[in-house]
Amino acid sequence: MPEQRLTELHLHFHGCVRPPDLLRHLAASEDTDWDWYEGEMAAAYGAVPPTRRVVERHRRGDPGAAAEFARLFVFRDEDAGSFARFQAKANLLFAAPADPAVFAPGIRADLARQGLAHAELRVSAAMFPALAATSGNTPVAERFAVSLPRRDPWPDWERVRALALGPHGHLLTGIDFSGAEEGHPPRAQAAFLAAVHEFNATHPRRALAILYHVGESFGDKSLESAVRWVHEAAELGAHRLGHAIALGLDPHTLGPHTREEPASERRDQIAYDLEHAKGLGEFGVVVDPAALRAELARLAPLPEAAPVPARYDAARLTDVARRQRYATSRLRALGTVIEVCPTSNRRTAGLTDPAAHPLGQFLAAGLPVTISSDDPGLFGTTLAEELAWAAENFPGGQALRPHLLATAWSSRAEILTGRAQVP
């Protein structure tokens, strides 16, 4: 496939800021909230980094400050395994107020240097008008998705509708749910996503793809619930799912262990098992309706947040793997695309061993998968490097690259919603 179709579908605008551009901005700012940034870093890392002093050295003309700043800012392999550490480093991007116009030229130049043909950037509703108005000043075909708060997306919805139907609406091709998943099950967005589908049916030429981060972080729930969340997001009509690690991670790699989830999640899992008993059974999952209803009765008096333990031995981990295969079969039938961000997964989720990475399971299952860099500035990576890692570590080798490129090109938001056709 020609390189002019190099396609990036999972980019967060601020995560694309490279260290030199952020350093210049911080050095020029007189309103940086260092106390907030340093407090968050201390909580996540147990120590305050010398970032403030490095920025001051840069102001004084120290030529070595830039390299040290990059080392402090980029989320590296040695930081791996903690989303809290990732978020703490990412906070530096927001420590000093900035109009998106400050970072847009550097981001656009970087995407052009990478040779991208198409890039979809996740932005806020407030950022979109200014970015859209200047998007023609780049050789990369830019499209945007507005990120909405999981807690309550409704207040932003009228503005998003207006933007989609406005003069730059052809550039707004999706909505996105991202940030911390914990406490925000996909089912809570059912009514909202139904409204998005209704908008799409009414305005097909401005239809919005639903992009949903899910199954990336699941320490607060059972493995069964983590798999269910991925499946539920797809059944609610999400066009592309971000990460979906819970669906492809071999549960046996976690070994025997115990975790907890709120009683509300256990109740939802029981309801799911009863609803999907036939499909689960086809993949070897034994569903006992009488036992589940009896458990529901025992859970009834508990508050929603009451902890319910989930104890995993080898047999239960095997059962989770069967559940994954059932959910995977449903995603395949729905045509749901999974956005895999290898470096992001390796570092935020600690998936440093390629053999443990979900990409292998997704490819083996025949799911449509795209490769992206997520936050290339913060991770210090490029799309070419992400694709190279996939080709080096999974069956198919270099032949995998054109397959992944073709999948990404045909999975652009405007294609998935029917706005446009694959040329």
Side-chain angles (χ1 to χ4, degrees), residues 13 23 41 44 82 105 119 171-172 185 208 286 314 317 338 346 359 384 390 408:
F13 178 85
L23 177 57
M41 287 293 289
S82 169
L171 299 175
L172 179 55
L208 300 169
V286 177
L317 292 171
I338 296 181
R346 295 202 308 275
L359 178 58

Side-chain angles (χ1 to χ4, degrees), residues 321-383:
R322 292 171 179 147
R323 291 171 177 274
Q324 290 176 317
R325 288 195 287 274
Y326 168 64
T328 296
S329 74
R330 292 299 306 140
L331 263 67
R332 191 167 52 239
L334 291 164
T336 310
V337 179
I338 296 181
E339 304 162 345
V340 172
C341 304
T343 297
S344 175
N345 297 157
R346 295 202 308 275
R347 294 178 183 168
T348 62
L351 299 178
T352 53
D353 181 1
H357 196 282
L359 178 58
Q361 295 294 329
F362 296 152
L363 292 170
L367 289 174
V369 174
T370 67
I371 299 295
S372 289
S373 56
D374 200 359
D375 299 290
L378 188 51
F379 290 120
T381 189
T382 65
L383 180 58

Side-chain angles (χ1 to χ4, degrees), residues 214-219 223-224 226-227 230 243-255 257 259 316-325 328 338 340 345-346 349-363 367 394:
V214 67
E216 180 182 14
S217 177
F218 43 94
L223 298 178
E224 291 87 347
V227 173
V230 177
H243 306 293
I245 293 169
L247 185 66
L249 179 68
D250 180 356
H252 293 93
T253 63
L254 302 175
H257 68 287
R259 55 179 60 214
R316 187 166 178 178
L317 292 171
T318 296
D319 189 72
V320 172
R322 292 171 179 147
R323 291 171 177 274
Q324 290 176 317
R325 288 195 287 274
T328 296
I338 296 181
V340 172
N345 297 157
R346 295 202 308 275
L351 299 178
T352 53
D353 181 1
H357 196 282
L359 178 58
Q361 295 294 329
F362 296 152
L363 292 170
L367 289 174
F394 295 94

Side-chain angles (χ1 to χ4, degrees), residues 14-34:
H14 283 93
C16 294
V17 177
R18 297 288 178 179
D21 293 329
L22 180 58
L23 177 57
R24 281 192 293 271
H25 172 63
L26 292 172
S29 174
E30 297 181 355
D31 193 24
T32 301
D33 191 346
W34 286 112

